[in-house]
Amino acid sequence: MTVSPSSSGGAARRRVRVRRGTSRSSPRPFRGAAGTPWLYLAPALVVLGGLLVYPVYQLGLISFLEYTQAQVSGGEATTFRGFGNYAELFGDGEFWRVLLATVVFAAACVMSTLAVGCALAVLLTRVRAVPRLVLMLAALGAWATPAVTGSTVWLLLFDPDFGPVNRMLGLGDHSWTYGRYSAFLLVLLEVVWCSFPFVMVTVYAGIRAVPAEVLEAAALDGASQWRIWRSVLAPMLRPILVVVTIQSVIWDFKVFTQIYVMTNGGGIAGQNLVLNVYAYQKAFASSQYSLGSAIGVVMLLILLAVTLVYLRLLRRQGEEL
């Protein structure tokens, strides 16, 4: 049987129409898919903007004004000082002394917290289930304790008259909060006690994610536990260590409750002041709200600079964060 050209041409046209119809009905990628995550994040961003951006704006605004108790009560008009508050602050020798003490104290707290947290995280991988559960519950209990409660308990433990620590160490009626360095040491111990659980739990979760074959190979090569941590675990856990380090820097640099409670507002003659307590004294004890705001802005800029520099150094080393 022969097929006419007209019939074959009609079949070809029908096949073309079918193909065209199929291409028209095929799903196309949604052009707005790239903006979909931002739609889900929008409610949280609005809340964060109200809770963070606006207070930071107000903090910066007050730092450029003449804002004392006279302006708060309406007795005098609020005036614009520009950078006058910052000039007064930077010209005060006490500010630089407090800033240096804050940096040294925060660095000691961060290094101690990371050392204790990482060591206990490694220990958790070496003990059995029951001791691991007990240690985890004890650490989480310390983490969940309010700062005021924890500071009060530590004061009772180191009390010169009734504290058990002095009795065990044979120190008699030694006062830990009288001397500058002993008071800072006492506060440091309390800060580490309530901060190391976050580091321990986070690093422990990262260690559990490391393939067991890698650790077994390092052990078979004769590497010690310290060498395994330094050469194997630490490089693999670097993104996690970055997070806990930055978080610890932020927490420890703006310590307030422990210093205020344990040294009774900054120690004798302000010998244990840190920037957060210093800002509180300027703003509320002296009613110099503009100077207190200026100290808050300086703290914010220091923390931003430390975080950005740290992340930049890690990116130069090729780390993906």
Side-chain angles (χ1 to χ4, degrees), residues 7 18 52 98 111 113 121 154 160 174 189 192 201 234 240 243-244 254 265 269 296-297 316 320:
S7 62
V18 170
L52 296 178
V98 174
M111 290 187 293
T113 302
W154 276 78
H174 172 72
L189 293 176
V192 173
V201 173
I240 294 177
V243 173
V244 297
K254 60 184 186 66
V297 172
R316 284 183 177 180
E320 296 183 0

Side-chain angles (χ1 to χ4, degrees), residues 3-317:
V3 180
S4 62
S6 60
S7 62
S8 62
R13 285 192 296 272
R14 283 195 298 272
R15 286 196 298 271
V16 171
R17 284 198 298 268
V18 170
R19 291 195 184 107
R20 288 178 179 175
T22 304
S23 63
R24 284 196 297 268
S25 61
S26 60
R28 294 181 179 178
F30 179 57
R31 293 183 178 179
T36 302
W38 293 103
L39 294 178
Y40 290 106
L41 291 174
L45 293 177
V46 171
V47 173
L48 289 176
L51 295 178
L52 296 178
V53 176
Y54 182 72
V56 170
Y57 162 75
Q58 286 291 335
L59 182 73
L61 177 62
I62 295 176
S63 69
F64 289 104
L65 303 176
E66 178 67 30
Y67 200 70
T68 61
Q69 188 61 40
Q71 284 77 25
V72 173
S73 61
E76 296 181 8
T78 302
T79 57
F80 182 76
R81 290 197 65 190
F83 290 97
N85 292 319
Y86 294 95
E88 180 180 351
L89 185 65
F90 294 151
D92 187 1
E94 185 180 11
F95 166 75
W96 295 106
R97 180 183 65 81
V98 174
L99 176 60
L100 177 61
T102 304
V103 171
V104 174
F105 176 73
C109 289
V110 170
M111 290 187 293
S112 302
T113 302
L114 292 177
V116 173
C118 293
L120 291 179
V122 175
L123 179 62
L124 287 177
T125 63
R126 300 294 178 182
V127 298
R128 296 182 180 274
V130 175
R132 180 166 61 246
L133 178 62
V134 172
L135 180 56
M136 291 282 285
L137 292 177
L140 292 177
W143 193 17
T145 303
V148 175
T149 305
S151 301
T152 305
V153 170
W154 276 78
L155 280 179
L156 292 176
L157 291 175
F158 289 83
D159 186 84
D161 297 322
F162 308 103
V165 175
N166 282 3
R167 294 181 182 180
M168 290 187 298
L169 297 179
L171 297 178
D173 59 351
H174 172 72
S175 176
W176 291 80
T177 58
Y178 183 79
R180 183 188 185 192
Y181 298 106
S182 60
F184 269 129
L185 176 62
L186 182 60
V187 177
L188 181 145
L189 293 176
E190 200 280 335
V191 171
V192 173
W193 174 77
C194 67
S195 302
F196 83 86
F198 171 74
V199 179
M200 183 190 73
V201 173
T202 307
V203 175
Y204 172 71
I207 294 176
R208 299 298 297 178
V210 175
E213 296 81 3
V214 177
L215 302 179
E216 291 176 1
L220 290 176
D221 289 339
S224 62
Q225 294 299 324
W226 167 247
R227 186 60 183 271
I228 291 176
W229 166 260
R230 188 184 66 179
S231 303
V232 179
L233 286 177
M236 299 183 71
L237 298 176
R238 187 164 295 174
I240 294 177
L241 294 176
V242 169
V243 173
V244 297
T245 300
I246 293 176
Q247 195 71 40
S248 298
V249 169
I250 295 173
W251 285 344
D252 297 339
F253 192 82
K254 60 184 186 66
V255 164
F256 174 83
T257 305
Q258 291 88 345
I259 289 287
Y260 192 82
V261 172
M262 300 179 72
T263 65
N264 195 21
I268 300 173
Q271 63 182 3
N272 296 113
L273 281 176
V274 293
L275 278 181
N276 229 355
V277 180
Y278 185 59
Y280 175 84
Q281 288 189 353
K282 286 292 184 182
F284 297 102
S286 303
S287 298
Q288 296 176 311
Y289 303 105
S290 52
L291 280 180
S293 300
I295 297 172
V297 172
V298 171
M299 291 179 60
L300 176 63
L301 295 177
I302 290 175
L303 290 175
L304 285 176
V306 171
T307 303
L308 293 177
V309 169
Y310 192 44
L311 293 177
R312 186 178 181 86
L313 291 176
L314 289 173
R315 287 187 176 181
R316 284 183 177 180
Q317 296 175 2

